[in-house]
Short mmCIF file of all heavy atoms in Angstrom, two decimals:
data_model
loop_
_atom_site.label_atom_id
_atom_site.label_comp_id
_atom_site.label_asym_id
_atom_site.label_seq_id
_atom_site.Cartn_x
_atom_site.Cartn_y
_atom_site.Cartn_z
N MET A 1 -173.18 -146.09 35.50
CA MET A 1 -172.80 -144.91 34.66
C MET A 1 -171.62 -145.14 33.82
O MET A 1 -170.69 -145.69 34.23
CB MET A 1 -172.66 -143.67 35.65
CG MET A 1 -171.29 -143.43 36.14
SD MET A 1 -171.09 -141.89 37.08
CE MET A 1 -171.88 -142.33 38.56
N ALA A 2 -171.76 -144.70 32.57
CA ALA A 2 -170.63 -144.99 31.61
C ALA A 2 -169.80 -143.80 31.49
O ALA A 2 -170.18 -142.64 31.31
CB ALA A 2 -171.29 -145.35 30.22
N GLN A 3 -168.49 -144.01 31.72
CA GLN A 3 -167.52 -142.97 31.51
C GLN A 3 -166.75 -143.22 30.30
O GLN A 3 -165.81 -144.11 30.21
CB GLN A 3 -166.53 -142.87 32.71
CG GLN A 3 -167.15 -142.44 34.01
CD GLN A 3 -166.17 -142.44 35.13
OE1 GLN A 3 -165.05 -143.00 34.99
NE2 GLN A 3 -166.50 -141.71 36.18
N THR A 4 -167.12 -142.55 29.17
CA THR A 4 -166.50 -142.86 27.90
C THR A 4 -165.48 -141.83 27.50
O THR A 4 -164.38 -142.14 27.16
CB THR A 4 -167.54 -143.03 26.78
OG1 THR A 4 -168.42 -141.86 26.89
CG2 THR A 4 -168.43 -144.26 27.05
N ALA A 5 -165.79 -140.58 27.60
CA ALA A 5 -164.95 -139.51 27.01
C ALA A 5 -163.93 -139.05 28.05
O ALA A 5 -162.83 -138.67 27.61
CB ALA A 5 -165.81 -138.27 26.63
N ALA A 6 -164.26 -139.08 29.34
CA ALA A 6 -163.30 -138.55 30.35
C ALA A 6 -162.11 -139.41 30.63
O ALA A 6 -160.97 -138.90 30.74
CB ALA A 6 -164.12 -138.27 31.66
N THR A 7 -162.29 -140.75 30.70
CA THR A 7 -161.09 -141.63 31.02
C THR A 7 -160.46 -142.04 29.70
O THR A 7 -161.11 -142.61 28.86
CB THR A 7 -161.55 -142.78 31.81
OG1 THR A 7 -162.60 -143.46 31.05
CG2 THR A 7 -162.13 -142.45 33.17
N PRO A 8 -159.23 -141.83 29.56
CA PRO A 8 -158.47 -142.29 28.40
C PRO A 8 -158.33 -143.81 28.44
O PRO A 8 -158.00 -144.37 29.42
CB PRO A 8 -157.09 -141.62 28.48
CG PRO A 8 -156.92 -141.35 29.95
CD PRO A 8 -158.33 -141.09 30.52
N GLU A 9 -158.58 -144.42 27.26
CA GLU A 9 -158.40 -145.91 27.16
C GLU A 9 -156.98 -146.19 27.06
O GLU A 9 -156.24 -145.60 26.21
CB GLU A 9 -159.15 -146.35 25.96
CG GLU A 9 -160.73 -146.14 25.98
CD GLU A 9 -161.43 -147.37 26.61
OE1 GLU A 9 -160.87 -148.47 26.45
OE2 GLU A 9 -162.50 -147.27 27.10
N ILE A 10 -156.58 -147.14 27.86
CA ILE A 10 -155.20 -147.63 27.73
C ILE A 10 -155.17 -148.80 26.77
O ILE A 10 -155.97 -149.80 26.91
CB ILE A 10 -154.62 -148.03 29.09
CG1 ILE A 10 -154.62 -146.89 30.04
CG2 ILE A 10 -153.27 -148.68 28.95
CD1 ILE A 10 -154.20 -147.20 31.46
N ALA A 11 -154.34 -148.70 25.78
CA ALA A 11 -154.30 -149.80 24.82
C ALA A 11 -153.82 -151.04 25.43
O ALA A 11 -152.84 -151.15 26.21
CB ALA A 11 -153.32 -149.39 23.71
N GLU A 12 -154.54 -152.18 25.08
CA GLU A 12 -154.17 -153.43 25.63
C GLU A 12 -152.98 -154.03 24.88
O GLU A 12 -153.02 -154.07 23.63
CB GLU A 12 -155.39 -154.33 25.56
CG GLU A 12 -155.30 -155.56 26.43
CD GLU A 12 -156.59 -156.34 26.49
OE1 GLU A 12 -157.69 -155.59 26.74
OE2 GLU A 12 -156.57 -157.55 26.30
N ILE A 13 -151.96 -154.49 25.59
CA ILE A 13 -150.79 -155.05 24.95
C ILE A 13 -151.07 -156.49 24.64
O ILE A 13 -151.39 -157.25 25.60
CB ILE A 13 -149.60 -154.91 25.86
CG1 ILE A 13 -149.27 -153.45 26.12
CG2 ILE A 13 -148.35 -155.62 25.23
CD1 ILE A 13 -148.19 -153.24 27.13
N PRO A 14 -150.96 -156.85 23.40
CA PRO A 14 -151.34 -158.29 23.09
C PRO A 14 -150.17 -159.21 23.57
O PRO A 14 -149.05 -158.87 23.48
CB PRO A 14 -151.35 -158.34 21.46
CG PRO A 14 -150.58 -157.14 21.17
CD PRO A 14 -150.71 -156.12 22.20
N THR A 15 -150.57 -160.30 24.03
CA THR A 15 -149.60 -161.33 24.51
C THR A 15 -149.47 -162.39 23.37
O THR A 15 -150.39 -162.87 22.78
CB THR A 15 -150.04 -162.00 25.79
OG1 THR A 15 -151.33 -162.57 25.55
CG2 THR A 15 -150.07 -160.98 26.97
N VAL A 16 -148.15 -162.72 23.12
CA VAL A 16 -147.85 -163.72 22.10
C VAL A 16 -147.19 -164.85 22.81
O VAL A 16 -146.19 -164.74 23.48
CB VAL A 16 -146.78 -163.06 21.10
CG1 VAL A 16 -146.50 -164.14 19.99
CG2 VAL A 16 -147.37 -161.85 20.42
N PRO A 17 -147.88 -166.06 22.68
CA PRO A 17 -147.27 -167.25 23.36
C PRO A 17 -145.92 -167.63 22.77
O PRO A 17 -145.67 -167.40 21.53
CB PRO A 17 -148.37 -168.30 23.00
CG PRO A 17 -149.51 -167.56 22.50
CD PRO A 17 -149.09 -166.31 21.95
N LEU A 18 -145.08 -168.16 23.63
CA LEU A 18 -143.70 -168.51 23.19
C LEU A 18 -143.74 -169.57 22.01
O LEU A 18 -142.90 -169.51 21.16
CB LEU A 18 -142.89 -169.02 24.31
CG LEU A 18 -142.22 -167.98 25.24
CD1 LEU A 18 -141.47 -168.68 26.28
CD2 LEU A 18 -141.27 -167.13 24.38
N THR A 19 -144.71 -170.36 21.99
CA THR A 19 -144.79 -171.45 21.07
C THR A 19 -145.06 -170.82 19.67
O THR A 19 -144.68 -171.41 18.60
CB THR A 19 -145.92 -172.48 21.31
OG1 THR A 19 -147.13 -171.79 21.61
CG2 THR A 19 -145.53 -173.28 22.58
N ASP A 20 -145.75 -169.68 19.63
CA ASP A 20 -145.96 -168.97 18.37
C ASP A 20 -144.65 -168.33 17.82
O ASP A 20 -144.54 -168.04 16.60
CB ASP A 20 -146.99 -167.93 18.46
CG ASP A 20 -148.42 -168.48 18.61
OD1 ASP A 20 -148.47 -169.79 18.60
OD2 ASP A 20 -149.39 -167.76 18.76
N LEU A 21 -143.70 -168.11 18.72
CA LEU A 21 -142.48 -167.48 18.33
C LEU A 21 -141.46 -168.41 17.71
O LEU A 21 -140.47 -168.10 17.18
CB LEU A 21 -141.88 -166.63 19.44
CG LEU A 21 -142.69 -165.47 19.93
CD1 LEU A 21 -141.95 -164.79 21.11
CD2 LEU A 21 -142.82 -164.44 18.81
N GLY A 22 -141.66 -169.68 18.04
CA GLY A 22 -140.67 -170.74 17.68
C GLY A 22 -140.34 -170.73 16.18
O GLY A 22 -139.13 -170.60 15.92
N PRO A 23 -141.29 -170.85 15.34
CA PRO A 23 -140.92 -170.89 13.89
C PRO A 23 -140.24 -169.58 13.48
O PRO A 23 -139.32 -169.65 12.63
CB PRO A 23 -142.28 -170.92 13.18
CG PRO A 23 -143.21 -171.60 14.26
CD PRO A 23 -142.70 -171.07 15.59
N TRP A 24 -140.60 -168.43 14.02
CA TRP A 24 -139.88 -167.16 13.65
C TRP A 24 -138.47 -167.18 14.17
O TRP A 24 -137.49 -166.69 13.51
CB TRP A 24 -140.64 -166.01 14.19
CG TRP A 24 -141.94 -165.74 13.52
CD1 TRP A 24 -143.13 -166.08 13.93
CD2 TRP A 24 -142.08 -165.14 12.22
NE1 TRP A 24 -144.09 -165.74 12.95
CE2 TRP A 24 -143.46 -165.15 11.94
CE3 TRP A 24 -141.19 -164.65 11.29
CZ2 TRP A 24 -143.96 -164.60 10.70
CZ3 TRP A 24 -141.75 -164.14 10.09
CH2 TRP A 24 -143.02 -164.09 9.84
N ALA A 25 -138.29 -167.77 15.34
CA ALA A 25 -136.91 -167.88 15.91
C ALA A 25 -136.03 -168.70 15.04
O ALA A 25 -134.86 -168.44 14.68
CB ALA A 25 -136.88 -168.40 17.33
N VAL A 26 -136.62 -169.88 14.51
CA VAL A 26 -135.85 -170.75 13.60
C VAL A 26 -135.54 -170.01 12.28
O VAL A 26 -134.42 -170.06 11.80
CB VAL A 26 -136.65 -172.02 13.35
CG1 VAL A 26 -136.04 -172.85 12.19
CG2 VAL A 26 -136.77 -172.81 14.65
N PHE A 27 -136.56 -169.31 11.81
CA PHE A 27 -136.36 -168.61 10.55
C PHE A 27 -135.25 -167.55 10.63
O PHE A 27 -134.33 -167.50 9.77
CB PHE A 27 -137.64 -167.91 10.13
CG PHE A 27 -137.51 -167.00 8.93
CD1 PHE A 27 -137.28 -167.48 7.69
CD2 PHE A 27 -137.64 -165.63 9.14
CE1 PHE A 27 -137.17 -166.62 6.57
CE2 PHE A 27 -137.56 -164.75 8.07
CZ PHE A 27 -137.28 -165.25 6.80
N PHE A 28 -135.27 -166.75 11.66
CA PHE A 28 -134.30 -165.66 11.85
C PHE A 28 -132.88 -166.32 12.18
O PHE A 28 -131.87 -165.72 11.78
CB PHE A 28 -134.65 -164.65 12.85
CG PHE A 28 -135.68 -163.62 12.27
CD1 PHE A 28 -137.04 -163.71 12.62
CD2 PHE A 28 -135.31 -162.77 11.29
CE1 PHE A 28 -137.99 -162.88 12.04
CE2 PHE A 28 -136.19 -161.88 10.70
CZ PHE A 28 -137.53 -161.92 11.09
N ALA A 29 -132.84 -167.41 12.89
CA ALA A 29 -131.60 -168.06 13.10
C ALA A 29 -130.95 -168.54 11.86
O ALA A 29 -129.78 -168.34 11.54
CB ALA A 29 -131.77 -169.21 14.07
N LEU A 30 -131.81 -169.19 10.97
CA LEU A 30 -131.23 -169.60 9.64
C LEU A 30 -130.77 -168.41 8.80
O LEU A 30 -129.72 -168.47 8.14
CB LEU A 30 -132.36 -170.41 8.88
CG LEU A 30 -132.53 -171.82 9.42
CD1 LEU A 30 -133.74 -172.47 8.69
CD2 LEU A 30 -131.30 -172.70 9.17
N LEU A 31 -131.58 -167.35 8.88
CA LEU A 31 -131.24 -166.18 8.16
C LEU A 31 -129.89 -165.60 8.62
O LEU A 31 -129.06 -165.21 7.81
CB LEU A 31 -132.40 -165.09 8.27
CG LEU A 31 -132.38 -163.97 7.25
CD1 LEU A 31 -132.68 -164.41 5.93
CD2 LEU A 31 -133.38 -162.92 7.69
N ALA A 32 -129.70 -165.57 9.91
CA ALA A 32 -128.41 -165.16 10.43
C ALA A 32 -127.31 -165.98 10.00
O ALA A 32 -126.19 -165.49 9.68
CB ALA A 32 -128.52 -165.08 11.99
N VAL A 33 -127.48 -167.34 9.93
CA VAL A 33 -126.38 -168.23 9.50
C VAL A 33 -126.09 -167.94 8.05
O VAL A 33 -124.91 -167.93 7.68
CB VAL A 33 -126.84 -169.68 9.79
CG1 VAL A 33 -125.90 -170.63 8.99
CG2 VAL A 33 -126.81 -169.98 11.30
N VAL A 34 -127.10 -167.74 7.19
CA VAL A 34 -126.86 -167.49 5.82
C VAL A 34 -126.10 -166.21 5.60
O VAL A 34 -125.12 -166.07 4.87
CB VAL A 34 -128.22 -167.42 4.99
CG1 VAL A 34 -128.00 -166.91 3.63
CG2 VAL A 34 -128.79 -168.81 5.02
N VAL A 35 -126.48 -165.11 6.40
CA VAL A 35 -125.78 -163.90 6.31
C VAL A 35 -124.35 -164.03 6.76
O VAL A 35 -123.42 -163.51 6.10
CB VAL A 35 -126.53 -162.81 7.14
CG1 VAL A 35 -125.69 -161.48 7.26
CG2 VAL A 35 -127.90 -162.43 6.43
N LEU A 36 -124.19 -164.70 7.85
CA LEU A 36 -122.81 -164.97 8.36
C LEU A 36 -121.98 -165.71 7.32
O LEU A 36 -120.75 -165.44 7.21
CB LEU A 36 -122.81 -165.70 9.69
CG LEU A 36 -122.82 -164.82 10.96
CD1 LEU A 36 -122.86 -165.70 12.16
CD2 LEU A 36 -121.61 -163.91 10.96
N PHE A 37 -122.58 -166.65 6.67
CA PHE A 37 -121.88 -167.41 5.70
C PHE A 37 -121.32 -166.45 4.55
O PHE A 37 -120.18 -166.43 4.14
CB PHE A 37 -122.67 -168.52 4.99
CG PHE A 37 -122.06 -169.08 3.76
CD1 PHE A 37 -121.01 -169.98 3.91
CD2 PHE A 37 -122.55 -168.70 2.50
CE1 PHE A 37 -120.44 -170.50 2.75
CE2 PHE A 37 -121.97 -169.25 1.39
CZ PHE A 37 -120.89 -170.18 1.47
N PHE A 38 -122.28 -165.59 4.05
CA PHE A 38 -121.89 -164.73 2.92
C PHE A 38 -120.88 -163.68 3.41
O PHE A 38 -119.97 -163.36 2.67
CB PHE A 38 -123.16 -164.02 2.38
CG PHE A 38 -123.86 -164.90 1.34
CD1 PHE A 38 -125.11 -165.40 1.67
CD2 PHE A 38 -123.21 -165.20 0.16
CE1 PHE A 38 -125.71 -166.24 0.79
CE2 PHE A 38 -123.90 -165.99 -0.73
CZ PHE A 38 -125.15 -166.51 -0.46
N VAL A 39 -121.03 -163.16 4.69
CA VAL A 39 -120.06 -162.19 5.15
C VAL A 39 -118.69 -162.91 5.46
O VAL A 39 -117.67 -162.28 5.14
CB VAL A 39 -120.58 -161.59 6.45
CG1 VAL A 39 -119.52 -160.72 7.11
CG2 VAL A 39 -121.85 -160.69 6.12
N GLY A 40 -118.66 -164.05 6.09
CA GLY A 40 -117.43 -164.60 6.52
C GLY A 40 -116.75 -165.65 5.66
O GLY A 40 -115.53 -165.79 5.74
N ALA A 41 -117.56 -166.40 4.92
CA ALA A 41 -116.92 -167.60 4.26
C ALA A 41 -116.93 -167.46 2.75
O ALA A 41 -116.02 -167.83 2.12
CB ALA A 41 -117.68 -168.80 4.65
N ASP A 42 -118.01 -166.93 2.14
CA ASP A 42 -118.11 -166.86 0.76
C ASP A 42 -117.01 -165.83 0.13
O ASP A 42 -117.00 -164.69 0.57
CB ASP A 42 -119.50 -166.34 0.36
CG ASP A 42 -119.65 -166.59 -1.18
OD1 ASP A 42 -119.47 -167.60 -1.70
OD2 ASP A 42 -120.02 -165.54 -1.84
N GLN A 43 -116.27 -166.34 -0.75
CA GLN A 43 -115.26 -165.46 -1.34
C GLN A 43 -115.52 -165.05 -2.77
O GLN A 43 -114.53 -164.64 -3.40
CB GLN A 43 -113.88 -166.23 -1.29
CG GLN A 43 -113.37 -166.49 0.15
CD GLN A 43 -113.08 -165.14 0.84
OE1 GLN A 43 -112.52 -164.23 0.26
NE2 GLN A 43 -113.51 -165.05 2.06
N ASN A 44 -116.73 -165.19 -3.19
CA ASN A 44 -117.12 -164.66 -4.43
C ASN A 44 -116.87 -163.13 -4.51
O ASN A 44 -117.07 -162.46 -3.50
CB ASN A 44 -118.60 -164.93 -4.64
CG ASN A 44 -119.13 -164.37 -5.94
OD1 ASN A 44 -119.36 -163.13 -6.10
ND2 ASN A 44 -119.31 -165.27 -6.94
N ALA A 45 -116.27 -162.70 -5.63
CA ALA A 45 -115.75 -161.38 -5.64
C ALA A 45 -116.87 -160.31 -5.43
O ALA A 45 -116.66 -159.38 -4.67
CB ALA A 45 -115.06 -161.08 -6.96
N ALA A 46 -118.01 -160.48 -6.09
CA ALA A 46 -119.12 -159.54 -6.01
C ALA A 46 -119.60 -159.56 -4.51
O ALA A 46 -119.85 -158.45 -3.97
CB ALA A 46 -120.20 -159.83 -6.91
N THR A 47 -119.82 -160.67 -3.97
CA THR A 47 -120.34 -160.80 -2.57
C THR A 47 -119.34 -160.18 -1.64
O THR A 47 -119.68 -159.48 -0.70
CB THR A 47 -120.60 -162.23 -2.20
OG1 THR A 47 -121.33 -162.85 -3.23
CG2 THR A 47 -121.35 -162.34 -0.89
N HIS A 48 -118.05 -160.47 -1.87
CA HIS A 48 -116.94 -159.87 -1.05
C HIS A 48 -117.02 -158.41 -0.96
O HIS A 48 -116.93 -157.79 0.08
CB HIS A 48 -115.67 -160.39 -1.49
CG HIS A 48 -114.48 -160.01 -0.55
ND1 HIS A 48 -114.03 -160.73 0.48
CD2 HIS A 48 -113.78 -158.81 -0.57
CE1 HIS A 48 -113.08 -160.06 1.03
NE2 HIS A 48 -112.89 -158.95 0.47
N GLU A 49 -117.13 -157.78 -2.06
CA GLU A 49 -117.22 -156.29 -2.16
C GLU A 49 -118.49 -155.77 -1.47
O GLU A 49 -118.49 -154.81 -0.74
CB GLU A 49 -117.27 -155.82 -3.64
CG GLU A 49 -115.89 -155.92 -4.32
CD GLU A 49 -114.82 -155.16 -3.52
OE1 GLU A 49 -115.03 -153.96 -3.12
OE2 GLU A 49 -113.76 -155.81 -3.28
N TRP A 50 -119.61 -156.50 -1.63
CA TRP A 50 -120.92 -156.11 -1.10
C TRP A 50 -120.88 -156.14 0.43
O TRP A 50 -121.46 -155.25 1.04
CB TRP A 50 -122.02 -156.96 -1.67
CG TRP A 50 -123.38 -156.48 -1.36
CD1 TRP A 50 -123.92 -155.22 -1.67
CD2 TRP A 50 -124.42 -157.22 -0.79
NE1 TRP A 50 -125.18 -155.14 -1.28
CE2 TRP A 50 -125.51 -156.31 -0.73
CE3 TRP A 50 -124.55 -158.55 -0.27
CZ2 TRP A 50 -126.72 -156.69 -0.22
CZ3 TRP A 50 -125.76 -158.88 0.23
CH2 TRP A 50 -126.80 -157.97 0.30
N VAL A 51 -120.22 -157.05 1.01
CA VAL A 51 -120.28 -157.27 2.50
C VAL A 51 -118.93 -156.82 3.10
O VAL A 51 -118.60 -157.21 4.31
CB VAL A 51 -120.63 -158.72 2.87
CG1 VAL A 51 -121.98 -159.04 2.38
CG2 VAL A 51 -119.58 -159.67 2.36
N HIS A 52 -118.10 -156.05 2.35
CA HIS A 52 -116.73 -155.80 2.81
C HIS A 52 -116.65 -155.14 4.13
O HIS A 52 -115.89 -155.48 5.01
CB HIS A 52 -116.11 -154.93 1.70
CG HIS A 52 -114.57 -154.70 1.95
ND1 HIS A 52 -113.97 -153.59 1.70
CD2 HIS A 52 -113.68 -155.57 2.49
CE1 HIS A 52 -112.67 -153.74 2.03
NE2 HIS A 52 -112.54 -154.90 2.46
N ASP A 53 -117.52 -154.08 4.32
CA ASP A 53 -117.52 -153.42 5.65
C ASP A 53 -117.93 -154.32 6.76
O ASP A 53 -117.41 -154.18 7.83
CB ASP A 53 -118.43 -152.12 5.55
CG ASP A 53 -117.82 -151.02 4.60
OD1 ASP A 53 -116.65 -151.17 4.27
OD2 ASP A 53 -118.56 -150.10 4.28
N ALA A 54 -118.91 -155.11 6.47
CA ALA A 54 -119.36 -156.10 7.54
C ALA A 54 -118.24 -157.04 7.92
O ALA A 54 -118.09 -157.45 9.09
CB ALA A 54 -120.60 -156.84 7.02
N ARG A 55 -117.37 -157.41 6.91
CA ARG A 55 -116.27 -158.30 7.26
C ARG A 55 -115.36 -157.62 8.26
O ARG A 55 -114.96 -158.19 9.20
CB ARG A 55 -115.47 -158.70 6.00
CG ARG A 55 -116.17 -159.59 5.09
CD ARG A 55 -115.22 -159.89 3.87
NE ARG A 55 -114.04 -160.60 4.26
CZ ARG A 55 -114.05 -161.99 4.39
NH1 ARG A 55 -115.10 -162.66 4.08
NH2 ARG A 55 -112.92 -162.61 4.70
N HIS A 56 -114.97 -156.39 7.95
CA HIS A 56 -114.13 -155.64 8.89
C HIS A 56 -114.81 -155.46 10.21
O HIS A 56 -114.16 -155.52 11.30
CB HIS A 56 -113.76 -154.27 8.25
CG HIS A 56 -112.71 -154.43 7.20
ND1 HIS A 56 -111.36 -154.35 7.48
CD2 HIS A 56 -112.84 -154.69 5.89
CE1 HIS A 56 -110.69 -154.56 6.37
NE2 HIS A 56 -111.53 -154.75 5.37
N LEU A 57 -116.11 -155.09 10.17
CA LEU A 57 -116.78 -154.89 11.51
C LEU A 57 -116.79 -156.10 12.35
O LEU A 57 -116.63 -155.96 13.54
CB LEU A 57 -118.30 -154.47 11.16
CG LEU A 57 -119.14 -154.25 12.37
CD1 LEU A 57 -118.74 -152.98 13.03
CD2 LEU A 57 -120.59 -154.20 11.98
N LEU A 58 -116.91 -157.27 11.78
CA LEU A 58 -116.93 -158.50 12.56
C LEU A 58 -115.57 -159.13 12.78
O LEU A 58 -115.48 -160.11 13.42
CB LEU A 58 -117.89 -159.53 11.86
CG LEU A 58 -119.30 -159.15 11.77
CD1 LEU A 58 -120.13 -160.17 11.03
CD2 LEU A 58 -119.90 -159.03 13.21
N GLY A 59 -114.53 -158.52 12.23
CA GLY A 59 -113.20 -158.92 12.44
C GLY A 59 -112.72 -160.13 11.65
O GLY A 59 -111.77 -160.81 12.05
N TYR A 60 -113.39 -160.42 10.59
CA TYR A 60 -112.86 -161.51 9.68
C TYR A 60 -111.66 -161.07 8.97
O TYR A 60 -111.48 -159.87 8.62
CB TYR A 60 -113.93 -161.90 8.59
CG TYR A 60 -115.07 -162.73 9.24
CD1 TYR A 60 -116.27 -162.14 9.52
CD2 TYR A 60 -114.93 -164.14 9.42
CE1 TYR A 60 -117.30 -162.90 10.02
CE2 TYR A 60 -115.93 -164.84 9.97
CZ TYR A 60 -117.10 -164.30 10.23
OH TYR A 60 -118.16 -165.05 10.74
N PRO A 61 -110.73 -161.97 8.76
CA PRO A 61 -109.48 -161.63 8.01
C PRO A 61 -109.93 -161.21 6.59
O PRO A 61 -110.68 -161.85 5.91
CB PRO A 61 -108.66 -162.89 8.07
CG PRO A 61 -109.62 -163.96 8.44
CD PRO A 61 -110.70 -163.34 9.29
N CYS A 62 -109.28 -160.05 6.14
CA CYS A 62 -109.73 -159.62 4.85
C CYS A 62 -108.49 -159.30 3.95
O CYS A 62 -108.15 -159.98 3.01
CB CYS A 62 -110.56 -158.37 5.06
SG CYS A 62 -111.41 -157.81 3.57
N HIS A 63 -107.85 -158.16 4.25
CA HIS A 63 -106.71 -157.77 3.45
C HIS A 63 -105.72 -157.01 4.27
O HIS A 63 -105.96 -156.72 5.44
CB HIS A 63 -107.11 -156.83 2.29
CG HIS A 63 -107.89 -155.67 2.67
ND1 HIS A 63 -107.37 -154.49 3.12
CD2 HIS A 63 -109.27 -155.44 2.78
CE1 HIS A 63 -108.30 -153.67 3.45
NE2 HIS A 63 -109.49 -154.23 3.24
ZN1 ZN B 1 -111.09 -155.47 3.74
#
């Protein structure tokens, strides 16, 4: 006997193998390094103003 309408279907959670996450982990790690460079090291005036609050948030010496 088929119970279709009475029992709610529980959505199946897809499993993602760790090996599929590797390239994304590398990508986001590089992205974080680039962001940290612009926030912490780059002293270009426009970039400095743009990330000024982030500098203070992360405790970089500023002014
Ligand atoms: Zn500042």
Side-chain angles (χ1 to χ4, degrees):
M1 90 174 72
Q3 294 182 341
T4 51
T7 56
E9 295 267 336
I10 298 174
E12 199 170 309
I13 299 172
T15 55
V16 180
L18 276 180
T19 50
D20 288 0
L21 295 179
W24 289 102
V26 170
F27 171 71
F28 281 108
L30 283 174
L31 197 66
V33 166
V34 169
V35 169
L36 267 180
F37 168 75
F38 278 110
V39 170
D42 189 55
Q43 290 299 317
N44 178 282
T47 310
H48 182 93
E49 286 302 312
W50 191 52
V51 298
H52 188 216
D53 290 346
R55 287 182 68 87
H56 282 269
L57 180 72
L58 294 176
Y60 283 102
C62 189
H63 55 81

